[in-house]
């Protein structure tokens, strides 16, 4: 790119297409942090004295999340950041990603906390998948259910007030579209739950980098040379999400701003469903006591299936 | 297709993929009519003594709509079908389509009623487009505003109780997705307005063939050899809809049922928005008295622009 930074006139290295900003390295970093700071304020994601569990996968999204949050939270001496990784037990994949997560945490002067499926549930994801003959659910469905629970248990044990995850704009837009295409109204209602509406027994979750596109994140981590692990999970074969991603990437390319608009659409839809929902269907699992819409929660149900 | 009809065992000529029915010619026709009949009943689209204005473009969707409605309404001697065409004034296109519409109506023993933009508004679409230098709105936006009004005026003059339009499953699914992608909540709330919620001053509209896919419609009209005009409008350059159509066609091909699910999703979203809407923003145009959310309706606004 031969032109000048829209902010300071220096040499631009990045075009943020959906805002039409041409940015030099330093303004790219500053505006990226600023986008996240404004999102945190606007949606009241964090409080000044929060102990924040930051979910770190080892990949670029959570690397950028941790890096940005640390800079934002420097201004709030009563807040605290605790990076957490869930080790699902995926041989040859998670061990490498863990290494990246640890390097990143160390480089930021933070101590990575690791919780494993094996310790929490008695099984690694590898052993679950190996044993699930005749069970139709895909690996990602198992992993999602267990990982969600694991992160909540981890946050509780660490005394965290809130969990921050590295979902980016692309991820979230894909999820909105997938839920609309699947006609899953209850899931549409459950996405975008605000921190102040969180459910007793679940540590509230926030997504501070939902306002950054994948391109923004790649550019930010590239300029700052953040260490991250860039290998896809060996179980990931999400054909549906891939189709949706491909379509949205094309639409965003042709009509920059499509992803943001889709996110706003998702928020409005989610708000409307939450307003008309009678609520009250969430109880507690009679086995483990976790919040659950059914008598026995999904985690206990899956563990049962494995043991029988 | 070498296999047998799922209904009667005769030679199948059509696979309705989203229901997994293999159908012979006669069962294809019967089940198609039956799908429409059930949709009419379920959504209470029509009453036994309705005078039904059926919007006929000359194309295959409205040809199939008219053909099916006539068979369904045969059982209701107090009902009446009036085919109506709006002549926008598009040289070399609408005149041919009108011919098809007239042939179809005559073949069914019906008398086609034609209302023109020229008579109703003093301008043809050709003259509007020719004069709209410096106005950014596309031809389809003009045409949509005027056609909607024209159809309402026509239905009122014909004493119709209801207007039936030939929107099919593909059209409607595309519209839902476009509205979600555009984040247009108010438009999402306005789609799928039930007949009993229609607005004073607007003849209620129903979409009986929303439950038929474009493939269903092509198959039905092919088997019955219905006359229709299959040339796209010369002004149609709907790049956005084309992108969405292409994506949804692929998704429906890979995962039959995607379109129906998307329609249900659209209905649920529309219901939720309607429930939370405070309503009351619809008044009447101070020029022409038509229902309008703003002081001067869109039709009068566009006509004004043309005359100044």
């Amino acid at each position: 790119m031969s032109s000048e930074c829209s902010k300071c006139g220096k040499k631009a290295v990045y075009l943020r297409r959906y805002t039409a900003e041409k940015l030099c390295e330093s303004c790219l970093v500053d505006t990226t942090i600023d986008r996240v700071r404004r999102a945190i304020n606007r949606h009241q994601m964090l409080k000044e004295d929060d102990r924040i569990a930051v979910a770190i996968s080892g990949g670029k999204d959570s690397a950028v999340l941790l890096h940005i949050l640390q800079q934002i939270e420097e201004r709030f001496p009563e807040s605290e950041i605790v990076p957490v990784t869930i080790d699902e037990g995926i041989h040859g994949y998670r061990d490498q990603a863990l290494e990246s997560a640890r390097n990143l945490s160390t480089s930021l002067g933070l101590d990575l906390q690791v919780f494993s499926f094996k310790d929490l549930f008695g099984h690694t994801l590898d052993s679950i998948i190996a044993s699930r003959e005749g069970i139709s659910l895909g690996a990602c469905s198992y992993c999602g259910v267990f990982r969600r629970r694991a992160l909540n248990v981890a946050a509780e044990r660490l005394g965290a007030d809130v969990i921050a995850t590295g979902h980016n704009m692309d991820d979230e837009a894909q999820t909105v579209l997938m839920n609309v295409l699947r006609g899953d109204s209850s899931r549409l209602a459950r996405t975008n739950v605000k921190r102040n509406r969180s459910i007793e027994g679940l540590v509230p979750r926030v997504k501070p980098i939902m306002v950054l596109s994948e391109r923004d994140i790649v550019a930010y981590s590239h300029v700052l040379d953040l260490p991250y692990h860039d290998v896809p999970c060996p179980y990931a074969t999400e054909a549906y999400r891939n189709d949706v991603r491909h379509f949205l990437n094309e639409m965003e390319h042709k009509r920059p701003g499509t992803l943001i608009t889709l996110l706003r659409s998702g928020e409005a839809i989610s708000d409307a469903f939450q307003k008309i929902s009678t609520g009250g269907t969430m109880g507690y699992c009679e086995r483990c006591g976790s919040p659950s819409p059914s008598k026995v929660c999904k985690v206990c149900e899956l563990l049962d299936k494995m043991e029988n």
Side-chain angles (χ1 to χ4, degrees), chain A:
Chain A
M1 193 161 20
S2 60
S3 46
E4 293 172 356
C5 174
S6 330
K7 299 283 175 191
C8 72
K10 273 191 242 157
K11 184 174 173 257
V13 298
Y14 182 64
L15 170 64
R16 184 176 285 135
R17 298 185 75 233
Y18 59 95
T19 59
E21 290 168 301
K22 291 174 191 164
L23 299 164
C24 69
E25 291 203 346
S26 133
C27 290
L28 160 61
V29 170
D30 291 349
T31 55
T32 304
I33 297 173
D34 208 48
R35 287 185 68 79
V36 176
R37 183 183 287 118
R38 278 183 284 132
I40 290 172
N41 291 343
R42 191 164 58 244
H43 299 290
Q44 299 180 298
M45 290 184 195
L46 300 176
K47 297 175 185 167
E48 290 189 8
D49 57 353
D50 267 338
R51 189 169 158 88
I52 310 162
V54 183
I56 303 298
S57 68
K60 64 183 180 319
D61 298 314
S62 55
V64 168
L65 170 69
L66 188 66
H67 192 265
I68 292 180
L69 278 187
Q70 216 207 12
Q71 289 171 85
I72 291 176
E73 294 306 311
E74 264 178 3
R75 294 197 197 167
F76 301 101
E78 285 178 60
S79 75
E80 194 187 350
I81 289 177
V82 187
V84 186
T85 294
I86 304 302
D87 178 1
E88 305 94 351
I90 305 174
H91 185 71
Y93 165 74
R94 179 51 70 202
D95 24 7
Q96 286 179 37
L98 248 173
E99 197 54 33
S100 296
R102 215 181 297 272
N103 288 345
L104 175 72
S105 301
T106 309
S107 76
L108 297 172
L110 297 166
D111 192 19
L112 183 70
Q113 304 292 317
V114 181
F115 290 75
S116 73
F117 276 18
K118 179 78 183 158
D119 288 346
L120 295 170
F121 309 115
H123 304 274
T124 64
L125 189 65
D126 284 340
S127 70
I128 292 171
I129 303 307
S131 74
R132 77 188 174 100
E133 264 184 275
I135 302 174
S136 63
L137 227 52
C140 299
S141 304
Y142 274 88
C143 188
V145 167
F146 287 116
R147 199 148 32 93
R148 202 169 169 80
R149 173 66 54 82
L151 204 49
N152 196 60
V153 173
E156 279 180 342
R157 292 200 189 156
L158 294 168
D161 300 293
V162 62
I163 300 168
T165 62
H167 293 86
N168 66 35
M169 188 190 285
D170 300 57
D171 297 333
E172 290 297 291
Q174 287 154 21
T175 301
V176 169
L177 184 48
M178 286 166 71
N179 285 338
V180 170
L181 287 173
R182 285 172 170 161
D184 193 336
S185 337
S186 68
R187 196 171 293 212
L188 272 167
R190 268 183 283 137
T191 41
N192 292 307
V193 173
K194 303 267 188 327
R195 175 167 179 177
N196 59 9
R197 288 213 198 119
S198 68
I199 290 158
E200 178 69 31
L202 290 182
V203 180
R205 283 160 185 254
V206 296
K207 301 169 185 169
I209 63 167
M210 229 178 85
V211 290
L212 303 181
S213 72
E214 198 168 313
R215 278 185 76 235
D216 291 341
I217 287 165
V218 170
Y220 184 93
S221 56
H222 180 74
V223 162
L224 294 174
D225 204 15
L226 298 184
Y228 66 83
H229 180 240
D230 200 16
V231 174
C233 174
Y235 291 123
T237 53
E238 295 188 273
Y240 201 90
R241 184 175 287 269
N242 286 341
D243 286 347
V244 166
R245 174 187 294 120
H246 182 75
F247 168 66
L248 286 180
N249 284 352
E250 264 188 31
M251 293 296 273
E252 178 69 23
H253 186 77
K254 287 189 189 174
R255 302 171 188 88
T258 297
L259 296 181
I260 294 185
T261 314
L262 183 52
L263 285 190
R264 296 213 179 109
S265 207
E267 277 173 31
I269 293 169
S270 163
D271 277 355
F273 279 125
Q274 284 170 34
K275 276 182 191 149
I276 65 166
S277 119
T278 49
T281 53
M282 191 64 99
Y284 293 88
C285 172
E286 59 185 30
R287 299 273 176 83
C288 70
S290 296
S292 165
S294 49
K295 269 190 175 178
V296 175
C297 75
K298 201 77 193 163
V299 170
C300 289
E301 187 197 314
L302 291 179
L303 287 175
D304 265 9
K305 270 194 196 149
M306 293 214 27
E307 276 142 32
N308 294 322

PDB file of all heavy atoms in Angstrom, chain A residues 16-33:
ATOM      1  N   ARG A  16      -8.098  -1.021   7.016  1.00  0.00           N
ATOM      2  CA  ARG A  16      -9.249  -1.630   7.706  1.00  0.00           C
ATOM      3  C   ARG A  16     -10.451  -1.318   6.837  1.00  0.00           C
ATOM      4  O   ARG A  16     -11.001  -0.219   6.872  1.00  0.00           O
ATOM      5  CB  ARG A  16      -9.385  -1.052   9.116  1.00  0.00           C
ATOM      6  CG  ARG A  16     -10.513  -1.707   9.925  1.00  0.00           C
ATOM      7  CD  ARG A  16     -10.576  -1.200  11.354  1.00  0.00           C
ATOM      8  NE  ARG A  16      -9.522  -1.762  12.161  1.00  0.00           N
ATOM      9  CZ  ARG A  16      -8.758  -1.068  13.009  1.00  0.00           C
ATOM     10  NH1 ARG A  16      -8.939   0.225  13.146  1.00  0.00           N
ATOM     11  NH2 ARG A  16      -7.819  -1.664  13.703  1.00  0.00           N
ATOM     12  N   ARG A  17     -10.834  -2.318   6.021  1.00  0.00           N
ATOM     13  CA  ARG A  17     -11.787  -2.025   4.948  1.00  0.00           C
ATOM     14  C   ARG A  17     -13.149  -1.555   5.454  1.00  0.00           C
ATOM     15  O   ARG A  17     -13.762  -0.665   4.859  1.00  0.00           O
ATOM     16  CB  ARG A  17     -11.959  -3.258   4.042  1.00  0.00           C
ATOM     17  CG  ARG A  17     -10.652  -3.648   3.352  1.00  0.00           C
ATOM     18  CD  ARG A  17     -10.843  -4.790   2.374  1.00  0.00           C
ATOM     19  NE  ARG A  17     -11.486  -4.367   1.157  1.00  0.00           N
ATOM     20  CZ  ARG A  17     -12.563  -4.933   0.636  1.00  0.00           C
ATOM     21  NH1 ARG A  17     -13.118  -5.972   1.231  1.00  0.00           N
ATOM     22  NH2 ARG A  17     -13.101  -4.474  -0.470  1.00  0.00           N
ATOM     23  N   TYR A  18     -13.628  -2.146   6.538  1.00  0.00           N
ATOM     24  CA  TYR A  18     -14.994  -1.812   6.980  1.00  0.00           C
ATOM     25  C   TYR A  18     -15.109  -0.433   7.615  1.00  0.00           C
ATOM     26  O   TYR A  18     -16.213   0.073   7.823  1.00  0.00           O
ATOM     27  CB  TYR A  18     -15.571  -2.901   7.899  1.00  0.00           C
ATOM     28  CG  TYR A  18     -14.783  -3.185   9.153  1.00  0.00           C
ATOM     29  CD1 TYR A  18     -15.098  -2.582  10.357  1.00  0.00           C
ATOM     30  CD2 TYR A  18     -13.712  -4.078   9.126  1.00  0.00           C
ATOM     31  CE1 TYR A  18     -14.384  -2.848  11.506  1.00  0.00           C
ATOM     32  CE2 TYR A  18     -12.988  -4.355  10.260  1.00  0.00           C
ATOM     33  CZ  TYR A  18     -13.323  -3.739  11.457  1.00  0.00           C
ATOM     34  OH  TYR A  18     -12.603  -4.012  12.588  1.00  0.00           O
ATOM     35  N   THR A  19     -13.959   0.189   7.977  1.00  0.00           N
ATOM     36  CA  THR A  19     -14.013   1.579   8.431  1.00  0.00           C
ATOM     37  C   THR A  19     -13.322   2.498   7.423  1.00  0.00           C
ATOM     38  O   THR A  19     -13.275   3.712   7.623  1.00  0.00           O
ATOM     39  CB  THR A  19     -13.306   1.764   9.796  1.00  0.00           C
ATOM     40  OG1 THR A  19     -11.930   1.359   9.647  1.00  0.00           O
ATOM     41  CG2 THR A  19     -13.955   0.938  10.885  1.00  0.00           C
ATOM     42  N   ALA A  20     -12.746   1.906   6.369  1.00  0.00           N
ATOM     43  CA  ALA A  20     -12.017   2.649   5.335  1.00  0.00           C
ATOM     44  C   ALA A  20     -10.823   3.422   5.902  1.00  0.00           C
ATOM     45  O   ALA A  20     -10.403   4.424   5.337  1.00  0.00           O
ATOM     46  CB  ALA A  20     -12.953   3.584   4.559  1.00  0.00           C
ATOM     47  N   GLU A  21     -10.239   2.927   7.026  1.00  0.00           N
ATOM     48  CA  GLU A  21      -9.060   3.567   7.599  1.00  0.00           C
ATOM     49  C   GLU A  21      -7.785   2.947   7.018  1.00  0.00           C
ATOM     50  O   GLU A  21      -7.610   1.733   7.052  1.00  0.00           O
ATOM     51  CB  GLU A  21      -8.995   3.356   9.124  1.00  0.00           C
ATOM     52  CG  GLU A  21     -10.038   4.089   9.923  1.00  0.00           C
ATOM     53  CD  GLU A  21     -10.084   3.576  11.376  1.00  0.00           C
ATOM     54  OE1 GLU A  21     -10.339   2.362  11.569  1.00  0.00           O
ATOM     55  OE2 GLU A  21      -9.864   4.376  12.285  1.00  0.00           O
ATOM     56  N   LYS A  22      -6.888   3.805   6.523  1.00  0.00           N
ATOM     57  CA  LYS A  22      -5.538   3.358   6.170  1.00  0.00           C
ATOM     58  C   LYS A  22      -4.660   3.627   7.380  1.00  0.00           C
ATOM     59  O   LYS A  22      -4.688   4.742   7.923  1.00  0.00           O
ATOM     60  CB  LYS A  22      -5.007   4.140   4.981  1.00  0.00           C
ATOM     61  CG  LYS A  22      -5.726   3.809   3.694  1.00  0.00           C
ATOM     62  CD  LYS A  22      -5.266   4.717   2.572  1.00  0.00           C
ATOM     63  CE  LYS A  22      -6.160   4.576   1.362  1.00  0.00           C
ATOM     64  NZ  LYS A  22      -5.981   5.696   0.426  1.00  0.00           N
ATOM     65  N   LEU A  23      -3.882   2.630   7.811  1.00  0.00           N
ATOM     66  CA  LEU A  23      -3.193   2.771   9.100  1.00  0.00           C
ATOM     67  C   LEU A  23      -1.717   2.420   9.018  1.00  0.00           C
ATOM     68  O   LEU A  23      -1.332   1.429   8.372  1.00  0.00           O
ATOM     69  CB  LEU A  23      -3.881   1.868  10.128  1.00  0.00           C
ATOM     70  CG  LEU A  23      -5.368   2.206  10.391  1.00  0.00           C
ATOM     71  CD1 LEU A  23      -6.077   1.056  11.090  1.00  0.00           C
ATOM     72  CD2 LEU A  23      -5.487   3.495  11.189  1.00  0.00           C
ATOM     73  N   CYS A  24      -0.884   3.213   9.691  1.00  0.00           N
ATOM     74  CA  CYS A  24       0.522   2.858   9.858  1.00  0.00           C
ATOM     75  C   CYS A  24       0.601   1.833  10.991  1.00  0.00           C
ATOM     76  O   CYS A  24      -0.395   1.592  11.677  1.00  0.00           O
ATOM     77  CB  CYS A  24       1.360   4.091  10.206  1.00  0.00           C
ATOM     78  SG  CYS A  24       1.003   4.722  11.854  1.00  0.00           S
ATOM     79  N   GLU A  25       1.762   1.242  11.217  1.00  0.00           N
ATOM     80  CA  GLU A  25       1.892   0.191  12.235  1.00  0.00           C
ATOM     81  C   GLU A  25       1.414   0.679  13.593  1.00  0.00           C
ATOM     82  O   GLU A  25       0.644  -0.003  14.278  1.00  0.00           O
ATOM     83  CB  GLU A  25       3.350  -0.284  12.321  1.00  0.00           C
ATOM     84  CG  GLU A  25       3.790  -1.043  11.085  1.00  0.00           C
ATOM     85  CD  GLU A  25       4.970  -1.985  11.356  1.00  0.00           C
ATOM     86  OE1 GLU A  25       5.606  -1.850  12.423  1.00  0.00           O
ATOM     87  OE2 GLU A  25       5.238  -2.846  10.496  1.00  0.00           O
ATOM     88  N   SER A  26       1.865   1.870  13.961  1.00  0.00           N
ATOM     89  CA  SER A  26       1.559   2.330  15.309  1.00  0.00           C
ATOM     90  C   SER A  26       0.080   2.696  15.460  1.00  0.00           C
ATOM     91  O   SER A  26      -0.549   2.374  16.475  1.00  0.00           O
ATOM     92  CB  SER A  26       2.536   3.470  15.669  1.00  0.00           C
ATOM     93  OG  SER A  26       1.872   4.542  16.221  1.00  0.00           O
ATOM     94  N   CYS A  27      -0.510   3.313  14.446  1.00  0.00           N
ATOM     95  CA  CYS A  27      -1.941   3.639  14.535  1.00  0.00           C
ATOM     96  C   CYS A  27      -2.811   2.381  14.413  1.00  0.00           C
ATOM     97  O   CYS A  27      -3.910   2.319  14.974  1.00  0.00           O
ATOM     98  CB  CYS A  27      -2.326   4.677  13.488  1.00  0.00           C
ATOM     99  SG  CYS A  27      -1.634   6.314  13.850  1.00  0.00           S
ATOM    100  N   LEU A  28      -2.309   1.364  13.681  1.00  0.00           N
ATOM    101  CA  LEU A  28      -3.019   0.076  13.626  1.00  0.00           C
ATOM    102  C   LEU A  28      -3.151  -0.485  15.043  1.00  0.00           C
ATOM    103  O   LEU A  28      -4.239  -0.870  15.484  1.00  0.00           O
ATOM    104  CB  LEU A  28      -2.253  -0.901  12.718  1.00  0.00           C
ATOM    105  CG  LEU A  28      -2.537  -2.395  12.898  1.00  0.00           C
ATOM    106  CD1 LEU A  28      -3.997  -2.724  12.611  1.00  0.00           C
ATOM    107  CD2 LEU A  28      -1.640  -3.230  11.986  1.00  0.00           C
ATOM    108  N   VAL A  29      -2.042  -0.506  15.772  1.00  0.00           N
ATOM    109  CA  VAL A  29      -2.052  -1.033  17.143  1.00  0.00           C
ATOM    110  C   VAL A  29      -2.972  -0.183  18.030  1.00  0.00           C
ATOM    111  O   VAL A  29      -3.848  -0.702  18.727  1.00  0.00           O
ATOM    112  CB  VAL A  29      -0.617  -1.095  17.721  1.00  0.00           C
ATOM    113  CG1 VAL A  29      -0.643  -1.415  19.213  1.00  0.00           C
ATOM    114  CG2 VAL A  29       0.198  -2.132  16.959  1.00  0.00           C
ATOM    115  N   ASP A  30      -2.796   1.132  17.966  1.00  0.00           N
ATOM    116  CA  ASP A  30      -3.592   2.015  18.832  1.00  0.00           C
ATOM    117  C   ASP A  30      -5.095   1.909  18.551  1.00  0.00           C
ATOM    118  O   ASP A  30      -5.902   1.809  19.480  1.00  0.00           O
ATOM    119  CB  ASP A  30      -3.162   3.481  18.644  1.00  0.00           C
ATOM    120  CG  ASP A  30      -1.766   3.724  19.204  1.00  0.00           C
ATOM    121  OD1 ASP A  30      -1.244   2.823  19.911  1.00  0.00           O
ATOM    122  OD2 ASP A  30      -1.197   4.804  18.925  1.00  0.00           O
ATOM    123  N   THR A  31      -5.472   1.943  17.279  1.00  0.00           N
ATOM    124  CA  THR A  31      -6.909   1.917  16.967  1.00  0.00           C
ATOM    125  C   THR A  31      -7.510   0.544  17.293  1.00  0.00           C
ATOM    126  O   THR A  31      -8.688   0.451  17.645  1.00  0.00           O
ATOM    127  CB  THR A  31      -7.192   2.239  15.483  1.00  0.00           C
ATOM    128  OG1 THR A  31      -6.445   1.334  14.662  1.00  0.00           O
ATOM    129  CG2 THR A  31      -6.813   3.675  15.137  1.00  0.00           C
ATOM    130  N   THR A  32      -6.677  -0.500  17.174  1.00  0.00           N
ATOM    131  CA  THR A  32      -7.189  -1.839  17.505  1.00  0.00           C
ATOM    132  C   THR A  32      -7.506  -1.907  18.997  1.00  0.00           C
ATOM    133  O   THR A  32      -8.595  -2.345  19.404  1.00  0.00           O
ATOM    134  CB  THR A  32      -6.155  -2.908  17.115  1.00  0.00           C
ATOM    135  OG1 THR A  32      -5.840  -2.767  15.733  1.00  0.00           O
ATOM    136  CG2 THR A  32      -6.708  -4.310  17.349  1.00  0.00           C
ATOM    137  N   ILE A  33      -6.554  -1.444  19.814  1.00  0.00           N
ATOM    138  CA  ILE A  33      -6.788  -1.438  21.264  1.00  0.00           C
ATOM    139  C   ILE A  33      -7.994  -0.558  21.582  1.00  0.00           C
ATOM    140  O   ILE A  33      -8.846  -0.911  22.396  1.00  0.00           O
ATOM    141  CB  ILE A  33      -5.528  -0.934  22.015  1.00  0.00           C
ATOM    142  CG1 ILE A  33      -4.356  -1.886  21.766  1.00  0.00           C
ATOM    143  CG2 ILE A  33      -5.806  -0.787  23.512  1.00  0.00           C
ATOM    144  CD1 ILE A  33      -3.026  -1.400  22.308  1.00  0.00           C
TER     145      ILE A  33
END
